[in-house]
Amino acid sequence: MTARSKKSRKIPEERGGLWQLALERGVSRRRFLQLLSAGGTAAVLAACTGLPLPTGTLPLADENTAEAPPFSKDPAPFIELGGGNLEARLENMQGLITPSRYFFVRNNSVSLEVDAADWRLTVEGDAVASRLELSYDDILNLPSQTYISYLECSGNQRAMFDLVKGQAAKGTQWKTGAVGNGVWTGAAMRDVLERAGITEEAASVLLIGLDTGSPEEGFRRVMPVEKAMDSDTLLAYALNGEVLPRDHGFPLRALAPGWVGAANVKWLGRIVVSSKQLWTRNNTTSYTLIGDAYPPVGEALGQPLTTQTVKSALALPWPADLAAGEHSIYGFAHSPNGPIAKMEWSSDFGATWNGSTLEELQIQPEFEHLAAALSDNAFRYSWTRFGFTWDAGPGEHTIMTRATDAAGNRQPDEIPFNEKGYLFNQPVPHPIRVT
Ligand SMILES: Nc1nc2c(c(=O)[nH]1)N[C@H]1C(S)=C(S)[C@@H](COP(=O)(O)O)O[C@H]1N2
Ligand SMILES: [Mo]
């Protein structure tokens, strides 16, 4: 018996999160070891969830020289916006958790295919004691957390600058579907930074994705050390109990709950911890609020984005077609500051507002098997589903919705313009034709 296989016989006790997950799924110790030696940790995760291995872990066909397809998932249920962007249809989402087949994708280039066996995460920079290199197994061996969080692109609802305010903003013209709500599993980013010996001087944590195609070498986004060291910020390797799909960053992505989508770097390969405030394209010209209302900060042309804002949308096609009569209308609302406390809707452009029912934060039957794996307080970053009954009369209508979070933040009547169209959160007048 080789040293390597001897070592793997002892693994379960040290496997922490993954072995725990296997136990919860009723995978025997023997089967766990078999899976581990045959297909590595990805095979164990796949067995735990009863789902096939992600294509990212399968060998490439030899003749596969054609240009890589931009996505690994079926684009059919989405609105294709061109480039690497798949907009979700909220009306497909029948429960609290967004199935990954309906989860939006935002790629600055294409979905990268990474072999987890060769992949390493490196942590370096002048504000760590020493350079650290971790394998996929090393990451899976760290203590894990599982919680629900929404993930939203800062450009979600960008089309509304044009459609609602009459001033078009540059960028992908998302309507309301650049958002989803997932069950995420991962290690705390803090644990990895501490293992590298992060120092008191640390100021910026630069996350670098392995995808090229963006103007800089890899997709780069700077995170302030406070957010990187927040115990809720994850290095995530599973979505909805499955191995993280390739389109969402297999093998590892950052998860920065409440923060703009761009902070959640996919196909993460390098972390640079710096004692200086770092500036890159993605916190100076992109993912930055630029406009009269946003005085420049540091080397940025405006205000670099941090958190998302309180927001809501109806789960209806755009425009929606309904038959005259009573309808149950529903939608989703979210805030980076915790739960939604109040929802209102208006069919007269906000002249009068009506109360809406907030649904209990509860996992739908499709994902009930994940309930046991949830950490304490696992719904704190979840979106909320809301609903109301609308008696539709024939004609052209609009319905607006307005969310207020538990901290008292309400969607504003009007927001100032910014050149790249980020963080639109005025109530959206959703067009509905009734016949
Ligand atoms: N490496 C890498 N990470 C990335 C991106 C990217 O293009 N490359 N896009 C970012 C943006 S702008 C968003 S909104 C989210 C989208 O995550 P999703 O595609 O999993 O929904 O990923 C972020 N992480
Ligand atoms: Mo984004």
Side-chain angles (χ1 to χ4, degrees), residues 372-395:
L374 295 179
S375 309
D376 290 345
N377 198 14
F379 291 83
R380 63 196 179 283
Y381 300 111
S382 174
W383 70 12
T384 300
R385 224 172 91 114
F386 62 87
F388 53 91
T389 304
W390 184 49
D391 196 0

Side-chain angles (χ1 to χ4, degrees), residues 104-106 108 153 211 219 248 253 261 264 266-267 287:
F104 84 100
V105 181
R106 162 69 175 126
N108 283 266
C153 180
D211 46 334
F219 180 84
H248 299 292
R253 80 174 308 166
N264 301 264
K266 303 192 276 190
W267 313 292
Y287 306 109

Side-chain angles (χ1 to χ4, degrees), residues 70-71 74-89 172 174:
F71 312 106
D74 178 4
F78 295 89
I79 302 163
E80 290 198 60
L81 295 175
N85 304 307
L86 295 178
E87 174 164 357
R89 298 178 192 273
T172 305
W174 304 101

Side-chain angles (χ1 to χ4, degrees), residues 76 100 209 289:
S100 61
L289 293 164

